Each structure stands twice: as C-alpha cells, then as structure tokens.
Amino acid sequence: MFVPVPIKIFKNGEVLFEAKSIQEAARILAEQLNMTIYKCYDPIERGYVYHIPYYVGDDEYRFKAPEGLAANRQKELEETNHKNARRIWLVPANPEVFDIEKAFNLYDTIDWVRSYRYENGDILFLYVTGDVKKVMYKVEVINGIVNSSNVQFNEELWLDKDKLEQAKGKNWSRIRLIDAVDTDALSLKKLREHGLRGNPQSSRKLHDELREYIMSHFESDFSYELFPYEDVEELIEGDKRTVNVNVYERNPLARRKCIEHYGAYCQVCDIDFEKMYGEVGRGFIHVHHIKPLHEIKQGYKVHPIHDLIPVCPNCHAMLHRKENGVYLTLEQLRERVKGRYQNNLVHN
C-alpha cells in the first residue's frame, strides 16, 4: 500500500511532470520508458528519499518530494530494513596509500575511488588496514558518481603516487564523514567474533549481526545537525545575514576529540545542556574554530584541542559576528558574559 506523496519528475534537469502520488509518478515514468509500472516504483522511491538519479541511456531522471515526507519515508525504510533503504558497506582504507585521517581533518567532503556501485545515501564503514586493523570511520555517499572533470584528487594526501595514477582512470564517489571512533571493540578480532569472514580486502555489503554490531558503536543519526553542519541564516531588521561555519567546526573527528578534552559545555557561558534540559541535551554542543580563516593556509591540519573550543549556539553565533568590523575573541566574549552575570546579581 502506497501513501500519497506528491512527486516532481525531472528529466535532464527539466521538470517533466508533477505527480500527485508515487502511483501516478510510476505510471508516467513507465509510459516514458515503455516499461511495466512495477519496475518504476523502486527507482522513484530511492530517488526522492535519497536523491539518487535514475539513468536510462544518456537521460537522467530525478525525483523530488516534500522534504518532510521524504524524511519520514527514509525513517520507515531504515527501521524496517526495506529493500529500498540505503545500503551499508564495509570498505577497506589503506593508510599507507592515502592519509585518510588528515583528509577528514582538512576537508568537509572527499572523493573516493568507486570500487563498487555506491549510490547517494549509502553508508560506508571504513576499515583502516595496515597496523591499525579497525573500523574507525562512518561516512555517507553524497554523490554516487562524480563527473570526471570535477573529481578532487587531493594529491597531497596520497602517499603512494603510483596508486593515485592508477586511480585517476577509475570512477569516483564523493563522501562526507558522519562519525569517527577509535575502539578495540571494532578491531579485526572483534569483527570476526561477530560474523566477519576473512580480512576486509574489498568492499562488501553488511548484513545481520555484523552490520548491527558495527552500527551500534557509532552515532545513529545520519542527518546534518542544524548549526555545526550548515550555514546559519538569521533575519535582523529585515536584512539577511549569513554566519559561515568553516570546515573544521563541521568535522566530526575534530569535534569528537575537542569535546572529549573540554567536555560538552560552553567554554564562554558555562551552559551544560544536559543539566539544563535533561536527557535530550546530553552531548549537545557546538564547536568553534578559534583561528581566523584568513590565517589558515592550504594543508593546515587542525589541532582539536588548541584550535577548537566547545561553545553554545548563542555564544557561537556571537563569535561569528563582527563588532566595529572586528570579531570578538573568546576571552572578550567570556568577560562580557561574566560582566552581565555579575550586574544581574547586583541588581537582583
């Protein structure tokens, strides 16, 4: 049974039709492609839920539904392990070939050799080979196939230049880091105890016990958080202003190390969201990059303790705004907050 979902059908970037339901969308696509209607449901559903294009010859079809409806359907697919849910992969990453830790510290997204048919929305758990032998990174495929002219090779991160030259002739996907952990619970030994056979020498889909075991050690939320992962727009007296949050503040690996060191409370105003709001606030905090962007050079590697600092959303926004053309420092904002607090005590 299909719930009515309004769906726009795009062909090569142009709106082909606005369907009132997935049934109508499937009928229209079937007529366009001269195929049975039942073969159209899956590509449409995966298309509007995960933004996965459907290719027929040289034509590209895309499907779009209202964001809230797509998000709800995504949740249903993944909770029921539906065949159209995003696929989960275990993928080896050789640190002697490519400096993956530095890559995630430097870039919001990186391009990855497409050894299998990764699609938009797929989740890759990266198993670091060599001396590490652990699953350490959880990433999302945001572009299953990157146009060859747009591939970012990041040559400075390739330790084996011969392997890079071989890779340049292959297809690439674009991925973003969701979470990173470093635990012996995801070592090769433990993975074998939970269903892994052999060594992870090539990509493989994850199923059943091994999939659930690996997923349980990472954050479960696949989506972007509001402030740390997006530019925030605020309306002030009718003028739109944008707070640009740089790549280091969005990086889950750097964020985790920063918060582990300082704690999940604001280093300016001392608010602890768990103490203030209870369980819903556990672990919630933003991370601010202290060093101004214009001072950061290419190849700069962020230090999660010296360069980053946990702050609440309000203090974070103030650190990204200028006063008389100059950003307030952490110390200046802290003194200002402290002064306001002391004044309130005096007047109360």
Side-chain angles (χ1 to χ4, degrees), residues 243-256:
V243 179
N244 294 308
V245 183
N246 69 61
V247 63
Y248 304 112
E249 296 170 37
R250 298 194 301 265
N251 186 289
L253 181 58
R255 282 171 50 80
R256 177 183 289 274

Side-chain angles (χ1 to χ4, degrees), residues 88-322:
I88 311 296
W89 302 80
L90 180 64
V91 179
N94 190 338
E96 297 176 1
V97 173
F98 182 77
D99 191 340
I100 188 170
E101 180 177 358
K102 187 175 182 180
F104 286 136
N105 272 319
L106 287 176
Y107 300 109
D108 196 18
T109 63
I110 61 174
D111 290 348
W112 193 262
V113 176
R114 192 174 188 253
S115 53
Y116 280 79
R117 297 183 65 180
Y118 308 133
E119 297 180 345
N120 296 29
D122 282 4
I123 295 297
L124 315 183
F125 287 103
L126 303 186
Y127 172 84
V128 182
T129 62
D131 295 331
V132 180
K133 295 183 175 64
K134 295 178 183 176
V135 172
M136 295 188 68
Y137 304 103
K138 172 183 176 181
V139 305
E140 179 186 29
V141 177
I142 60 172
N143 197 335
I145 299 180
V146 181
N147 187 291
S148 58
S149 62
N150 294 327
V151 174
Q152 302 296 319
F153 295 115
N154 298 325
E155 298 191 15
E156 76 279 8
L157 299 174
W158 285 78
L159 308 178
D160 189 326
K161 302 302 182 185
D162 291 336
K163 290 288 179 64
L164 171 59
E165 292 305 313
Q166 296 172 19
K168 285 183 177 181
K170 299 180 180 179
N171 290 325
W172 294 65
S173 296
R174 184 158 293 159
I175 61 175
R176 73 172 180 96
L177 180 65
I178 296 177
D179 196 15
V181 300
D182 185 356
T183 172
D184 289 337
L186 293 176
S187 66
L188 179 59
K189 178 183 177 182
K190 289 294 184 179
L191 296 176
R192 285 175 172 168
E193 291 176 2
H194 289 83
L196 177 66
R197 296 182 179 179
N199 294 331
Q201 296 179 337
S202 61
S203 298
R204 64 181 74 180
K205 289 182 185 177
L206 285 174
H207 300 283
D208 304 327
E209 180 189 1
L210 181 59
R211 167 178 164 161
E212 298 306 313
Y213 178 73
I214 294 176
M215 291 179 66
S216 70
H217 289 84
F218 289 86
E219 294 293 333
S220 59
D221 184 22
F222 291 117
S223 62
Y224 284 95
E225 293 179 26
L226 174 61
F227 195 96
Y229 294 102
E230 297 181 13
D231 290 342
V232 175
E233 296 179 346
E234 56 178 343
L235 297 177
I236 302 176
E237 297 178 356
D239 294 328
K240 181 179 286 189
R241 302 184 183 182
T242 301
V243 179
N244 294 308
V245 183
N246 69 61
V247 63
Y248 304 112
E249 296 170 37
R250 298 194 301 265
N251 186 289
L253 181 58
R255 282 171 50 80
R256 177 183 289 274
K257 292 180 179 179
C258 171
I259 294 169
E260 285 177 351
H261 177 79
Y262 289 103
Y265 66 94
C266 181
Q267 299 295 304
V268 174
C269 69
D270 292 330
I271 186 173
D272 183 316
F273 285 88
E274 183 178 7
K275 291 180 180 178
M276 178 67 74
Y277 300 106
E279 181 65 24
V280 70
R282 180 190 294 271
F284 179 81
I285 198 69
H286 292 178
V287 168
H288 173 65
H289 192 272
I290 300 169
K291 197 176 184 69
L293 283 176
H294 68 270
E295 296 180 13
I296 297 176
K297 299 179 180 179
Q298 186 175 7
Y300 169 74
K301 184 174 182 178
V302 67
H303 192 292
I305 296 174
H306 299 155
D307 297 332
L308 303 178
I309 198 78
V311 291
C312 72
N314 286 346
C315 291
H316 199 182
M318 294 303 100
L319 288 168
H320 277 279
R321 296 193 66 192
K322 291 182 178 180

Side-chain angles (χ1 to χ4, degrees), residues 334-347:
R334 187 182 288 138
E335 285 300 314
R336 188 166 296 188
V337 171
K338 182 179 178 182
R340 294 284 188 273
Y341 176 72
Q342 291 175 340
N343 285 339
N344 287 338
L345 288 179
V346 170
H347 289 93

